[in-house]
Amino acid sequence: MTKPRVLSGIQPTNGSFQLGNYLGAVKQWVELQQSHDAFYCVVDLHALTSSPDPKELRKNTLTSVAQLLALGIDPEHCTLFLQSQVYEHNQLAWVMECLTGFGEASRMTQFKDKSQKVGNDRVVVGVFTYPMLMAADILLYQADQVPVGEDQRQHIELTRDLAARFNSQYGKTFTIPEGYILKAGAKIYDLQDPTSKMSKSAESMSGLIEILDTPESNTKKIKSAVTDTGREVRFDVAEKPGISNLLTIYSALSGKSISETEIEFDGKGYGDFKSAVAEVVVEYLRPVRLRTLELLDDPTHLSAILETGAQKAQAVASKTLAEVYERIGLISRA
Ligand code: TRP
């Protein structure tokens, strides 16, 4: 039996991934490599919508790839590639743009939020066409499932609509993908403000655990995490958001369940618990950080991995694109 196919994309982040990216997405990507035919891409073209500095973009893209590899994305068990290296993404994106209504695209919440924030004169058209490029990313590979966070649900809906529209106008060409919304249990909150999601856009870095940060710095951040005035290590998001967040982190990285952990720390104070969390996090991240730095030290090896990934991806993408061009009436080269 053939394995179902998954495709997912991640934007090259500025500097290090944070623990929330890992527990929220990458950890599940790693698991899916075994059970699925997995395609993962670093969506560097999407990153252009925020006009990054060229040097930063290049560095961030390579750092993202190195971190994915260090966290367990294995090119022997999946196809890992850069979006910009497989030209078919842009080519299919144009076809998708010609299939999407202007009003339909205008109703996408990500576009509405961003254009409201900076104003219509400042927002780039790439923010508007972002969802059509994302649809192309997915449909080129005939993906059955798309692992994404809750915030991407509307993009997946649009992708499904476009695939169905194309199929009904031109004949069955695309697999209609399902969203595979990542488990909410893996949602990690800011250590200083445990009611907001851990995110790089937080005002202060002190609530953020970064994969590439030093053990000392991460230990300090965990030991200064906001908790409540009680003493009990108990999972209760409403009453104890800080402790609950630390329990989630501890349990995800140690493999022990939340209730086992509650028992383990029964009668012990927050100080002991925080030290234990810090230790688990630091020990988990230590080899990941070292491996990332090692990979970044060998750019030839990294670019060879990406080249193999691009070739594997392109073999699938070019086949889909050729079929699409044929169906819509474009004439192929002699
Ligand atoms: N928009 C996604 C995000 O911000 C990233 C992305 C781009 C993606 N293309 C994709 C995710 C294709 C899944 C599939 O998280």
Side-chain angles (χ1 to χ4, degrees):
M1 224 190 68
T2 55
K3 292 175 175 176
R5 181 168 290 168
V6 290
L7 176 130
S8 197
I10 190 165
Q11 290 222 21
T13 22
N14 198 351
S16 174
F17 287 168
Q18 40 91 359
L19 195 62
N21 299 127
Y22 173 62
L23 292 176
V26 180
K27 189 162 182 259
Q28 303 187 47
W29 287 17
V30 172
E31 288 161 11
L32 287 167
Q33 294 177 120
Q34 303 308 324
S35 48
H36 288 66
D37 178 16
F39 284 74
Y40 298 130
C41 64
V42 174
V43 292
D44 49 358
L45 295 171
H46 277 116
L48 295 178
T49 56
S50 56
S51 321
D53 170 74
K55 251 174 56 198
E56 289 292 307
L57 176 61
R58 209 169 281 134
K59 189 173 115 214
N60 292 339
T61 301
L62 291 176
T63 309
S64 297
V65 171
Q67 284 175 96
L68 289 172
L69 294 167
L71 286 166
I73 298 296
D74 179 355
E76 302 283 321
H77 287 105
C78 73
T79 303
L80 174 67
F81 64 102
L82 295 184
Q83 185 188 32
S84 65
Q85 293 187 346
V86 183
Y87 317 126
E88 286 79 358
H89 289 245
N90 300 78
Q91 295 173 294
L92 186 62
W94 175 252
V95 176
M96 290 297 136
E97 286 169 36
C98 293
L99 210 64
T100 309
F102 188 82
E104 187 176 32
S106 310
R107 284 190 293 274
M108 299 303 286
T109 51
Q110 182 175 302
F111 170 70
K112 285 199 292 187
D113 291 350
K114 291 202 174 166
S115 58
Q116 255 164 31
K117 228 188 209 160
V118 300
N120 254 343
D121 287 329
R122 301 247 332 265
V123 70
V124 297
V125 175
V127 172
F128 187 68
T129 55
Y130 183 111
M132 288 69 100
L133 178 58
M134 176 161 165
D137 297 342
I138 298 166
L139 299 178
L140 274 177
Y141 299 92
Q142 309 287 5
D144 299 297
Q145 289 162 357
V146 187
V148 282
E150 179 58 41
D151 61 332
Q152 298 296 313
R153 203 185 273 279
Q154 198 187 25
H155 287 152
I156 305 296
E157 273 316 305
L158 179 71
T159 304
R160 291 168 53 85
D161 288 348
L162 293 175
R165 194 172 304 163
F166 189 100
N167 286 351
S168 80
Q169 272 177 36
Y170 301 104
K172 171 129 186 29
T173 309
F174 293 121
T175 303
I176 313 266
E178 302 272 341
Y180 177 100
I181 303 295
L182 299 167
K183 291 175 224 150
K187 207 160 163 190
I188 305 299
Y189 297 88
D190 190 286
L191 297 177
Q192 288 300 318
D193 173 12
T195 55
S196 345
K197 210 171 129 180
M198 186 178 282
S199 151
K200 301 275 259 190
S201 45
E203 272 169 37
S204 143
M205 301 288 281
S206 54
L208 207 64
I209 298 179
E210 293 194 296
I211 308 271
L212 301 180
D213 204 352
T214 61
E216 296 72 33
S217 163
N218 278 333
T219 300
K220 198 168 146 212
K221 286 178 180 176
I222 292 166
K223 290 198 172 165
S224 337
V226 165
T227 51
D228 52 89
T229 52
R231 317 203 47 231
E232 242 182 308
V233 177
R234 179 165 53 80
F235 192 86
D236 179 342
V237 178
E239 296 291 320
K240 295 169 161 284
I243 288 294
S244 304
N245 189 36
L246 292 175
L247 274 166
T248 306
I249 294 173
Y250 185 86
S251 151
L253 295 183
S254 69
K256 295 178 193 163
S257 70
I258 302 244
S259 43
E260 267 175 273
T261 312
E262 287 172 335
I263 294 166
E264 186 181 343
F265 290 94
D266 186 29
K268 302 198 178 119
Y270 289 172
D272 285 352
F273 176 53
K274 282 178 170 178
S275 301
V277 176
E279 175 150 340
V280 165
V281 169
V282 162
E283 288 318 314
Y284 195 91
L285 295 184
R286 191 189 302 280
V288 175
R289 174 165 177 264
L290 291 177
R291 181 73 188 127
T292 303
L293 297 176
E294 214 172 76
L295 284 159
L296 286 173
D297 235 16
D298 191 352
T300 320
H301 177 59
L302 263 192
S303 88
I305 291 177
L306 289 174
E307 176 56 28
T308 308
Q311 283 178 17
K312 272 164 67 187
Q314 194 157 38
V316 179
S318 61
K319 210 170 136 245
T320 306
L321 188 75
E323 192 182 338
V324 168
Y325 273 18
E326 161 78 26
R327 292 216 184 240
I328 58 181
L330 298 174
I331 293 170
S332 61
R333 283 171 62 173

